[in-house]
Amino acid sequence: MTIKVCLAGATGWAGSELARGIAKNPDLELVAAVARRHAGKVLGDVLGEPRLGGRVHASAAEALAERCDVFVEYTKPASAKANVLAALERKVHVVIGTSGLTDADYAEIHATARREQRGVLACGNFALTVVLLQKFAETAARLIPQWEIIDYAHDDKVDVPSGTARELAFRLSKVRSPQPTVPIERAVGPRETRGATVAGTQVHSIRLPGYVIGAEVVFGMPDQRLTIRHDSGSSARPYVDGALLAIRKVAGLVGVHRGLDSVLDLG
Ligand SMILES: NC(=O)c1ccc[n+]([C@@H]2O[C@H](COP(=O)([O-])OP(=O)(O)OC[C@H]3O[C@@H](n4cnc5c(N)ncnc54)[C@H](OP(=O)(O)O)[C@@H]3O)[C@@H](O)[C@H]2O)c1
């Protein structure tokens, strides 16, 4: 049994690398793709990968006319939610790689997924080192009551904070709320310098040339500090294996699950 995949954003930086990963795995078949500029072409011709026979469509609605088991969302924050809801309404399981969706968006997607009895696996970052960062940070948050997140990215990344930082803040909020010694509303001076409060955590986004993608969580206690940091390089390679795992596992879920560890046994 092959898993039939519809990949939105298949010609992009992350999506094209994932498409090539799908082509190498005979249990997966890319039956349709979404991207506006190459609509009407066969994806394999666009990417120079003859094993990719699916056609590129201009919208998710058109691509979903092709029967598929899993829809992968890898476009842009502005189009992501509508694409995901369209897939769920056609009773297709969804993997979300796109960043920028809010907790409120996920609540709406969760309600639709529950209604349609379909799974959604959302990973702000599919890289194994990020999955481990999340796990280690959750363990630290159980023992250390104060932390903040720093999100590093290239200067032209439009969404803030990154999906990685948002997801990390969301996960830590399930452990507990950090307790700053001086509450943010009592800070003296420009409050923005204390960052944005995301799911109860202060998050600071840096957007500068010279950075690719990184995330750091700093835990502080009197006279001691713990920093856990992930950095990725310039290729989209680190995200492929995690996304392939998500595609294979999402059919076993119902509703929204955030983070790859929902389907990865990390002990
Ligand atoms: N979860 C992870 O591990 C991970 C890893 C890397 C990136 N990301 C996230 O994934 C998203 C994509 O990143 P990227 O760097 O690959 O972007 P990108 O290179 O700009 O690619 C975007 C893709 O989506 C298509 N697209 C964009 N808007 C569309 C629309 N309205 N309708 C249909 N197709 C549309 C683009 O094709 P056309 O422009 O031709 O339509 C292109 O194929 C971002 O949110 C990024 O932060 C997540």
Side-chain angles (χ1 to χ4, degrees):
M1 280 286 284
T2 58
I3 301 173
K4 293 184 188 307
V5 180
C6 174
L7 175 55
T11 59
W13 179 71
S16 60
E17 196 67 33
L18 177 58
R20 291 190 181 92
I22 290 172
K24 288 184 196 137
N25 283 273
D27 63 320
L28 305 176
E29 183 191 357
L30 199 149
V31 294
V34 182
R36 295 157 300 179
R37 275 167 296 172
H38 293 283
K41 297 180 188 158
V42 171
L43 184 63
D45 294 341
V46 178
L47 300 186
E49 169 49 84
R51 288 173 290 186
L52 291 170
R55 198 162 284 280
V56 183
H57 300 266
S59 71
E62 290 168 52
L64 285 160
E66 208 76 55
R67 200 190 76 71
C68 63
D69 305 303
V70 177
F71 178 88
V72 180
E73 168 49 47
Y74 241 153
T75 62
K76 289 285 170 190
S79 40
K81 187 170 83 170
N83 287 351
V84 169
L85 293 175
L88 289 171
E89 277 153 16
R90 285 167 183 77
K91 299 206 174 296
V92 174
H93 299 284
V94 177
V95 170
I96 305 178
T98 314
S99 55
L101 292 172
T102 63
D103 290 344
D105 292 331
Y106 279 117
E108 187 181 340
I109 292 168
H110 183 62
T112 307
R114 298 270 311 172
R115 191 184 69 226
E116 304 295 344
Q117 288 293 290
R118 288 297 177 271
V120 177
L121 187 45
C123 300
N125 196 314
F126 289 111
L128 179 62
T129 51
V130 168
V131 178
L132 293 173
L133 165 73
Q134 291 171 341
K135 286 307 273 186
F136 298 154
E138 283 170 338
T139 303
R142 282 188 204 106
L143 301 169
I144 306 176
Q146 291 188 43
W147 64 83
E148 301 198 6
I149 293 172
I150 309 172
D151 146 42
Y152 301 93
H154 44 92
D155 55 322
D156 56 349
K157 183 172 172 62
V158 289
D159 56 303
V160 282
S162 67
T164 311
R166 252 182 223 282
E167 195 169 287
L168 183 57
F170 172 79
R171 294 175 66 110
L172 294 179
S173 74
K174 301 290 167 202
V175 179
R176 62 162 120 174
S177 292
Q179 305 294 329
T181 306
V182 177
I184 302 305
E185 56 282 3
R186 285 188 24 223
V188 176
R191 189 173 299 169
E192 296 79 4
T193 59
R194 294 290 292 114
T197 307
V198 178
T201 287
Q202 293 313 114
V203 179
H204 312 265
S205 289
I206 290 174
R207 297 289 179 267
L208 282 174
Y211 285 99
V212 183
I213 294 284
E216 183 173 301
V217 52
V218 185
F219 292 87
M221 295 180 85
D223 244 357
Q224 45 185 323
R225 193 168 65 229
L226 170 68
T227 302
I228 311 174
R229 177 168 172 149
H230 143 90
D231 281 294
S232 57
S234 57
S235 91
R237 185 67 211 136
Y239 313 115
V240 174
D241 289 344
L244 294 176
L245 180 70
I247 291 169
R248 291 185 175 111
K249 296 284 190 178
V250 68
L253 306 174
V254 174
V256 172
H257 295 255
R258 292 174 71 176
L260 201 60
D261 64 317
S262 338
V263 294
L264 197 66
D265 184 11
L266 291 172

CSV table of all heavy atoms in Angstrom, one decimal, residues 2-3 28 69 93 107 112 122 130 136-137 144 164 180 183 208 210-211 227:
chain,number,residue,atom,x,y,z
A,2,THR,N,0.8,2.1,-1.0
A,2,THR,CA,1.5,3.3,-1.0
A,2,THR,C,0.6,4.4,-0.4
A,2,THR,O,-0.6,4.4,-0.5
A,2,THR,CB,1.9,3.8,-2.4
A,2,THR,OG1,0.8,3.9,-3.2
A,2,THR,CG2,2.9,2.8,-3.1
A,3,ILE,N,1.3,5.4,0.3
A,3,ILE,CA,0.6,6.5,0.8
A,3,ILE,C,0.6,7.6,-0.3
A,3,ILE,O,1.7,8.0,-0.7
A,3,ILE,CB,1.2,7.0,2.1
A,3,ILE,CG1,1.3,5.9,3.1
A,3,ILE,CG2,0.5,8.3,2.6
A,3,ILE,CD1,2.1,6.3,4.4
A,28,LEU,N,5.8,5.8,-0.7
A,28,LEU,CA,5.1,7.1,-0.8
A,28,LEU,C,5.0,7.5,-2.3
A,28,LEU,O,5.9,7.3,-3.1
A,28,LEU,CB,5.9,8.2,-0.1
A,28,LEU,CG,6.2,8.0,1.4
A,28,LEU,CD1,7.1,9.1,1.9
A,28,LEU,CD2,5.0,7.8,2.2
A,69,ASP,N,-4.1,10.6,0.3
A,69,ASP,CA,-4.3,10.2,1.8
A,69,ASP,C,-3.8,11.3,2.7
A,69,ASP,O,-4.3,11.4,3.8
A,69,ASP,CB,-3.4,8.9,2.0
A,69,ASP,CG,-3.8,7.8,1.1
A,69,ASP,OD1,-5.0,7.4,1.1
A,69,ASP,OD2,-2.9,7.3,0.4
A,93,HIS,N,-5.9,13.5,5.7
A,93,HIS,CA,-5.0,13.8,6.9
A,93,HIS,C,-4.0,14.9,6.4
A,93,HIS,O,-3.7,15.0,5.3
A,93,HIS,CB,-4.2,12.5,7.3
A,93,HIS,CG,-5.1,11.4,7.8
A,93,HIS,ND1,-5.7,11.4,9.0
A,93,HIS,CD2,-5.5,10.3,7.1
A,93,HIS,CE1,-6.4,10.3,9.1
A,93,HIS,NE2,-6.3,9.6,8.0
A,107,ALA,N,-6.6,26.0,17.1
A,107,ALA,CA,-7.9,25.6,17.8
A,107,ALA,C,-9.0,25.3,16.7
A,107,ALA,O,-9.7,24.3,16.8
A,107,ALA,CB,-8.3,26.7,18.8
A,112,THR,N,-12.1,21.3,13.3
A,112,THR,CA,-12.5,20.7,12.0
A,112,THR,C,-11.9,19.3,11.9
A,112,THR,O,-12.6,18.4,11.4
A,112,THR,CB,-11.9,21.6,10.9
A,112,THR,OG1,-12.3,22.9,11.1
A,112,THR,CG2,-12.4,21.1,9.5
A,122,ALA,N,1.4,18.9,13.2
A,122,ALA,CA,2.0,20.2,12.9
A,122,ALA,C,3.4,20.3,13.6
A,122,ALA,O,3.5,20.1,14.8
A,122,ALA,CB,1.1,21.3,13.4
A,130,VAL,N,15.9,19.8,16.8
A,130,VAL,CA,14.8,20.7,17.4
A,130,VAL,C,13.9,19.8,18.3
A,130,VAL,O,13.4,20.2,19.3
A,130,VAL,CB,14.0,21.4,16.3
A,130,VAL,CG1,12.7,22.0,16.9
A,130,VAL,CG2,14.9,22.5,15.7
A,136,PHE,N,14.3,18.3,25.9
A,136,PHE,CA,15.2,18.8,26.9
A,136,PHE,C,14.7,20.0,27.7
A,136,PHE,O,14.8,20.1,28.9
A,136,PHE,CB,16.6,19.1,26.4
A,136,PHE,CG,17.3,17.9,25.7
A,136,PHE,CD1,18.3,18.1,24.8
A,136,PHE,CD2,17.0,16.6,26.1
A,136,PHE,CE1,18.9,17.0,24.2
A,136,PHE,CE2,17.7,15.5,25.5
A,136,PHE,CZ,18.6,15.7,24.6
A,137,ALA,N,14.1,20.9,26.9
A,137,ALA,CA,13.6,22.1,27.5
A,137,ALA,C,12.4,21.8,28.4
A,137,ALA,O,12.2,22.4,29.4
A,137,ALA,CB,13.1,23.1,26.4
A,144,ILE,N,13.1,24.3,36.6
A,144,ILE,CA,13.6,25.7,36.7
A,144,ILE,C,12.4,26.6,36.3
A,144,ILE,O,11.9,26.5,35.2
A,144,ILE,CB,14.8,25.9,35.7
A,144,ILE,CG1,15.9,24.9,36.0
A,144,ILE,CG2,15.3,27.3,35.8
A,144,ILE,CD1,17.1,24.9,35.0
A,164,THR,N,9.3,27.5,15.1
A,164,THR,CA,10.0,26.7,16.1
A,164,THR,C,9.8,27.4,17.5
A,164,THR,O,9.6,26.7,18.5
A,164,THR,CB,11.5,26.7,15.7
A,164,THR,OG1,11.6,26.3,14.4
A,164,THR,CG2,12.3,25.8,16.6
A,180,PRO,N,8.6,35.6,35.9
A,180,PRO,CA,9.6,36.6,35.9
A,180,PRO,C,9.6,37.3,37.3
A,180,PRO,O,8.6,37.6,37.8
A,180,PRO,CB,9.2,37.6,34.8
A,180,PRO,CG,8.1,37.0,34.1
A,180,PRO,CD,7.5,35.9,34.9
A,183,PRO,N,7.4,41.3,36.9
A,183,PRO,CA,6.4,41.1,35.9
A,183,PRO,C,6.5,42.0,34.7
A,183,PRO,O,6.8,43.2,34.9
A,183,PRO,CB,5.0,41.2,36.6
A,183,PRO,CG,5.4,41.1,38.1
A,183,PRO,CD,6.8,41.6,38.2
A,208,LEU,N,18.5,39.0,11.0
A,208,LEU,CA,19.7,39.7,10.5
A,208,LEU,C,20.3,38.8,9.4
A,208,LEU,O,20.3,37.6,9.5
A,208,LEU,CB,20.7,39.8,11.6
A,208,LEU,CG,20.5,40.9,12.6
A,208,LEU,CD1,21.5,40.9,13.7
A,208,LEU,CD2,20.6,42.3,11.9
A,210,GLY,N,23.3,36.8,7.8
A,210,GLY,CA,24.3,36.1,8.5
A,210,GLY,C,23.7,35.0,9.4
A,210,GLY,O,24.4,34.0,9.8
A,211,TYR,N,22.4,35.0,9.7
A,211,TYR,CA,21.8,33.9,10.4
A,211,TYR,C,21.0,33.1,9.4
A,211,TYR,O,20.5,33.6,8.4
A,211,TYR,CB,20.8,34.5,11.5
A,211,TYR,CG,21.5,35.0,12.7
A,211,TYR,CD1,21.7,36.4,12.9
A,211,TYR,CD2,21.9,34.1,13.7
A,211,TYR,CE1,22.3,36.9,14.0
A,211,TYR,CE2,22.6,34.6,14.8
A,211,TYR,CZ,22.8,36.0,14.9
A,211,TYR,OH,23.4,36.5,16.1
A,227,THR,N,21.6,27.0,28.9
A,227,THR,CA,21.2,27.4,27.6
A,227,THR,C,21.1,26.2,26.7
A,227,THR,O,22.1,25.4,26.6
A,227,THR,CB,22.2,28.4,27.0
A,227,THR,OG1,22.3,29.5,27.8
A,227,THR,CG2,21.8,28.9,25.6
